[in-house]
Amino acid sequence: MLLRLRARFDPRRDAAPWLAGQPLAADADAFLESLETLYVVNVERNGNIIYTWKGTRGHTCIGLYDPNSQTNEHLYTFEKDLHVISCSVNNEKTLLAVSFLQSTKEVTANLLFQPVSKCLTLLIEICPINNVKVLKAVDNCIRVQFLYPVAETQTFPESCLLLISEDKYVEKFDIRIVKEGHTAVIENSSHLPKEKIADDFLWIQWDTLEQRLFYVVRKGSRDILNCVQFYPDKSFTLILEVPLEISLPDIGFKLLNLKCDYYQGQEVEPQPLNLHVFTNERGSFCICYCIAPVKPGDVTYSAFFLHKGYSKTYTVALERTDFLQVKDLTFLNLDYYVAVFLPGHFLHLLNTQHPDLMCCNFFLTGEDAKINGLHKSAIVSPLKSMVLDLGTGQLFALEISKQGLLQFLWNSKRDSDRLATLHCLLLYIGNTTELETEIIKWISENMSTCFTFDPVQEFIIASLYWRMCPEAVNLDKLLPYTSLGCWNEPIPGITCTTHIISLPVLKAQNCKGFWEKLISSLEYVKYAGPPLRFNSKVLQRELEKLHLDQTDEGKRLTMYFTTIFEYAKKVLSNLNTRSSEERLVPFFQDEDYQQQLQTGLMAAQLKDHLMRHLQYVGKKRIEQIAVDYVSKLLGLMCRIMENVWRKYNLDSWVFYLGQQGGSNEALVFHLMCRMLQAANEMCLPLPPGFHTLHTRLGVRCLPLYTLLHYIDQGVLHLTELCVLNLLKELDNTEKNEKLKLGILARLPEAIGHKVAQLPSHPLGSSTIVQTYIKLLLEKLGNKRPSTSLVDRSPAQIEFLPLNYLVTMLAEVDHQVVFLRLGGFRGTRDCEFETCRRGGTEAYGHALGPLVLRSEDEWATSSNISASPHAATSTHAERPPLSRQKNCWL
């Protein structure tokens, strides 16, 4: 199960020992009776829980439990049996506001003498117990709630009390406290200043944690949601108006988060509308509601994501309709998620940060949808991430379980569940070394089981997103949060439709905190044209352009390359500084020009992208964010490899190329192939030394013909360090000579020149020389004849024995042609001429890819149709790796 309950208040655990010592608990039977009558009536912003219980003489007692100190405190006792419907205590615990209903018998008896109000609202001095002031005496219910300052460490001389009446109005009383010795007394209690906050509303909700009052009023033909924000200095502001896309029925008085009324909860009342407002600190603003279903067996509910500018309507087809009641549908605030819970049927977790993709949400049924420890239809949520079970009086902290998520990740069969779990782990649980290790373990076992997304890509992109978003305001709108562009796969049991909605109107300016983030999100929705998130396709196009322009020696291009490599140095320096643990994987042992170019280019492109939209942050800060982003990207790849290395017990940093690799090395090699594929598709750079290590593992684990095929297809990339080590470590046996020749025939031009300058050149072997020259002649003999006259002087190359051989062949060719054809330059002469010039040019271009037929022919045959310049093509020009699973593994 994903959701876990943690008992924050249990009457038998937290209150029973204290109640047993109270004077009114004379015996065991009286104590048990008192315990059975204990009810929670309010949960204050600081977490204090106010509850009532009945004494032995019918007295009604009010107590307070502090979960931080785990202590109970007696606040007040009424010497008669009362039905307390609302209660609140101020932050200093000097004042108690109580609203209660008098019993029917008492009201009937008093009617013989004088009219008696059904509901009384009292303000009581409790430090110590002194005066009692009647605030309201009416027939309609009143709810009371003290306002709490945001900075609870500061003591304020004034307290503010909200009175919310069933007659559809809200008043605020300002109460000033004066100290008289050790006594706290209300100043001028006969005349308390008051203000009217709202009037004639249809629905109202109090947000205890954020001190906000939401209510719905009707203006003309539309229903408008208003929000009043209260501040510590007694001020308040009507800060927001939202035109609702639905028309609320006049259902009378409906309160949320202001009562825990057991008596009213036991009555069967029609609930035609279930409406809740949820916010979180990242600027998410959601309105969720449920209306009675039109079709039997279906449940329909909608969520207005005001910070996104659209709403989504979800329809769930239930497998069974026994005992189905729409009023049982509960909306719970889990901070970054909204839980839609229908006990016994389903649990839907809506990702409020990114609700656009259904795969970022959980839709669970059966055993996965259960929340153990709760009654089916007696649940209320007095605070964010809290659930009160009215049946037992237990108050629970509701949270998403880390262990439950990891277990769900391993057991899930659908890609949508896996993707939602990855995002939930990284967003809700947070990025920790322990959590990343657990996720990497799952990725290494399930790389080939996900068909709609790549787990390596998703882990890296999502991890970077949730790590970097707090670095700057609006950064969350500019960085990619998923590797997927869209999600078209249906989720069994639920359908979804999307609608554009009206944006809210903010009445206040210069807001901070939540409202500042909401305003920023609304501005993004209003004025954003094309998607503003950094796109890997742009990086891919720029990289291809750089490969085409590398031969340009212009000043602008040279300076641009210098800038790119400067960024690459900063990224690698930053990465080395951050990496404090002992490295198991032999990365950072060489400098790969291609990867340095891609690393620096990504940092430079990301910096330019952020500069266009975050000018107010500053150039230096944006540069640092871009460098940190790429550094953390490479760091995540290193962490993946470190965990894989540790899992398969590859302790040695150096693998001798003359030995055959084991099964564990083969598994690591194929995992690196998948990482390479994921990086290529997203145009992500790889850590320095990745290709060197990958090729060394390939030499140890693959047959010769497969190894050369992987090189031809771009799976393995030859680096200078790898080639030099290979030529030095391998002796000149027949098998190794075939391998060397195959590698030499595929060297990029830059590496080929360096290899040719080695003192112990690999072509010093007579066998390799003979085979190599044979390959050159066979390749050049199949070229089409040239029709132009060419220079007969042989081109000089850096290998002297080959220069001498080519010069002798050219002289023999020249004499034979003129003796046989009498000086006539016919077709045959052109073929020999082409052969001569081609032989001198081919070595300089370091041999195109070979078409290999058998294990012996793979190292000796040549690709006739391939261009001699094919081997000089860059990594970006190689054919892309197939997206199909196991196509080349």
Side-chain angles (χ1 to χ4, degrees), residues 524-792:
Y524 173 77
V525 173
K526 285 181 183 178
Y527 304 112
L532 300 181
R533 300 192 185 277
F534 185 66
N535 196 332
S536 61
K537 293 182 179 179
V538 177
L539 184 61
Q540 181 69 45
R541 289 195 296 267
E542 186 66 20
L543 186 62
E544 292 174 355
K545 181 181 177 182
L546 286 180
H547 286 311
L548 294 176
D549 296 342
Q550 278 184 358
T551 56
D552 188 351
E553 296 298 335
K555 182 178 180 181
R556 184 196 64 82
L557 190 60
T558 303
M559 293 179 61
Y560 187 46
F561 270 97
T562 302
T563 303
I564 289 175
F565 283 103
E566 284 297 324
Y567 277 118
K569 291 180 181 179
K570 291 180 181 179
V571 168
L572 297 180
S573 175
N574 198 12
L575 180 62
N576 289 327
T577 302
R578 291 176 180 272
S579 180
S580 58
E581 61 179 286
E582 182 181 358
R583 293 170 180 166
L584 297 177
V585 186
F587 285 158
F588 310 100
Q589 301 301 304
D590 62 338
E591 296 184 0
D592 189 340
Y593 171 84
Q594 171 66 27
Q595 290 307 310
Q596 283 191 351
L597 177 65
Q598 197 164 342
T599 299
L601 179 63
M602 185 174 189
Q605 288 290 304
L606 181 58
K607 186 265 297 182
D608 294 341
H609 175 75
L610 298 180
M611 282 292 296
R612 287 192 291 269
H613 306 286
L614 298 178
Q615 299 91 339
Y616 53 87
V617 176
K619 181 178 179 181
K620 290 186 177 180
R621 178 59 184 153
I622 288 179
E623 285 184 353
Q624 188 59 47
I625 290 175
V627 170
D628 287 346
Y629 185 90
V630 183
S631 300
K632 291 178 180 179
L633 187 153
L634 296 179
L636 284 173
M637 290 188 172
C638 291
R639 281 194 56 79
I640 293 176
M641 287 304 303
E642 292 283 345
N643 281 272
V644 170
W645 217 257
R646 193 175 293 109
K647 175 182 177 181
Y648 292 103
N649 298 318
L650 302 185
D651 299 327
S652 176
W653 276 37
V654 180
F655 298 107
Y656 179 60
L657 296 177
Q659 296 178 350
Q660 185 70 24
S663 58
N664 285 350
E665 293 180 29
L667 290 173
V668 173
F669 171 79
H670 288 292
L671 287 174
M672 293 183 71
C673 288
R674 294 303 303 271
M675 286 186 63
L676 177 63
Q677 180 184 8
N680 287 344
E681 290 177 352
M682 294 289 293
C683 199
L684 304 178
L686 292 164
F690 182 92
H691 290 306
T692 298
L693 179 60
H694 194 203
T695 304
R696 290 182 71 90
L697 286 174
V699 172
R700 286 173 57 87
C701 300
L702 298 178
L704 177 59
Y705 58 93
T706 306
L707 174 69
L708 299 179
H709 180 61
Y710 273 31
I711 296 174
D712 291 336
Q713 296 301 317
V715 180
L716 294 176
H717 299 259
L718 298 176
T719 62
E720 178 182 345
L721 178 62
C722 179
V723 172
L724 295 179
N725 289 340
L726 183 144
L727 297 176
K728 292 178 181 178
E729 293 180 22
L730 297 183
D731 54 21
N732 292 329
T733 62
E734 182 179 357
K735 179 181 178 180
N736 289 341
E737 286 180 347
K738 292 180 180 179
L739 173 59
K740 290 181 182 180
L741 181 60
I743 296 296
L744 289 172
R746 289 157 175 81
L747 286 182
E749 182 177 0
I751 299 178
H753 284 308
K754 293 184 179 181
V755 171
Q757 296 173 3
L758 290 176
S760 56
H761 197 283
L763 291 183
S765 169
S766 59
T767 305
I768 295 181
V769 170
Q770 296 173 6
T771 309
Y772 187 58
I773 297 302
K774 180 181 178 182
L775 282 174
L776 289 179
L777 296 179
E778 288 179 354
K779 179 187 297 185
L780 299 174
N782 285 284
K783 281 190 175 183
R784 298 182 63 85
S786 173
T787 56
S788 60
L789 295 176
V790 292
D791 184 12
R792 289 289 178 181

Side-chain angles (χ1 to χ4, degrees), residues 413-430:
K413 303 301 180 184
R414 294 202 302 255
D415 282 357
S416 60
D417 291 338
R418 295 165 172 168
L419 198 63
T421 308
L422 279 176
H423 280 275
C424 187
L425 283 168
L426 297 172
L427 164 63
Y428 196 84
I429 307 300

Side-chain angles (χ1 to χ4, degrees), residues 41-59:
V41 291
N42 199 4
V43 182
E44 301 289 4
R45 183 178 181 272
N46 56 12
N48 289 343
I49 300 163
I50 301 176
Y51 57 89
T52 67
W53 78 93
K54 303 298 181 181
T56 55
R57 300 175 185 175
H59 297 173

Side-chain angles (χ1 to χ4, degrees), residues 75-88:
L75 297 179
Y76 197 76
T77 298
F78 292 96
E79 294 181 352
K80 54 184 176 180
D81 187 1
L82 300 176
H83 173 195
V84 177
I85 60 174
S86 184
C87 187
S88 182

